Amino acid sequence: MRILRVDIGSYGRIRDRHVRISPGLTVVHGPNESGKTTFMEFIRNTMVPTNKRDVYPERAKTDSGSITFEEDGSEGTMTLVQRARGGDVPECISRLEPDLFRTVFAMGQRDLDDERSVTSGDVASRFLSVPGGEGMP
């Protein structure tokens, strides 16, 4: 699966943002408080929604947007409206457990604060749990 485009109508403090993702490595950068983490959280919460209450940014009834992706030569679009995911769900993430996906996609502050998650080999085991993860270095 490859993300082609991210369109955010409203999420956290981001409004009407449209980002086309080029093939290859994508780096999101900017000054503090420019929306990097909010952008990442939009992607995570659209791909694998969570019902946890301690998510950042705080969820709102105005949350909306979509992710256009390509998987196996076909294009699809996942949507996020309020707290519900809709549209097409890529096969590669359809069966993932939400907490596992969230920590593989990006480690949270709690993971980073506990150095054991990085030094114990736990990170490698998370990748091995994801379909195709056995090919990760």
Side-chain angles (χ1 to χ4, degrees):
M1 182 195 113
R2 184 173 84 78
I3 295 175
L4 303 172
R5 182 178 171 102
V6 177
D7 296 294
I8 302 174
S10 176
Y11 194 79
R13 293 186 346 213
I14 297 176
R15 302 286 183 271
D16 299 318
R17 181 84 43 95
H18 310 281
V19 178
R20 185 169 301 281
I21 308 294
S22 299
L25 177 66
T26 300
V27 177
V28 177
H29 64 90
N32 288 344
E33 298 299 317
S34 63
K36 300 178 301 291
T37 301
T38 302
F39 182 77
M40 176 193 68
E41 285 299 325
F42 173 80
I43 294 171
R44 288 192 339 175
N45 282 312
T46 302
M47 292 180 78
V48 181
T50 181
N51 290 327
K52 289 187 176 183
R53 297 188 184 275
D54 65 343
V55 296
Y56 172 87
E58 187 175 319
R59 302 304 301 272
K61 291 182 179 180
T62 58
D63 289 350
S64 66
S66 65
I67 296 174
T68 303
F69 63 92
E70 182 273 326
E71 182 179 47
D72 298 328
S74 297
E75 201 171 288
T77 301
M78 286 178 286
T79 59
L80 179 70
V81 178
Q82 295 182 357
R83 293 185 173 105
R85 176 179 64 188
D88 307 309
V89 178
E91 177 66 28
C92 66
I93 65 167
S94 64
R95 296 179 308 272
L96 286 180
E97 191 271 319
D99 288 336
L100 173 67
F101 173 81
R102 292 179 67 78
T103 57
V104 167
F105 183 81
M107 296 182 80
Q109 189 62 48
R110 289 186 193 131
D111 293 317
L112 295 173
D113 287 343
D114 180 4
E115 68 183 41
R116 289 175 296 163
S117 65
V118 177
T119 60
S120 70
D122 188 37
V123 171
S125 69
R126 290 176 185 181
F127 281 105
L128 293 175
S129 301
V130 176
E134 63 276 358
M136 296 294 290

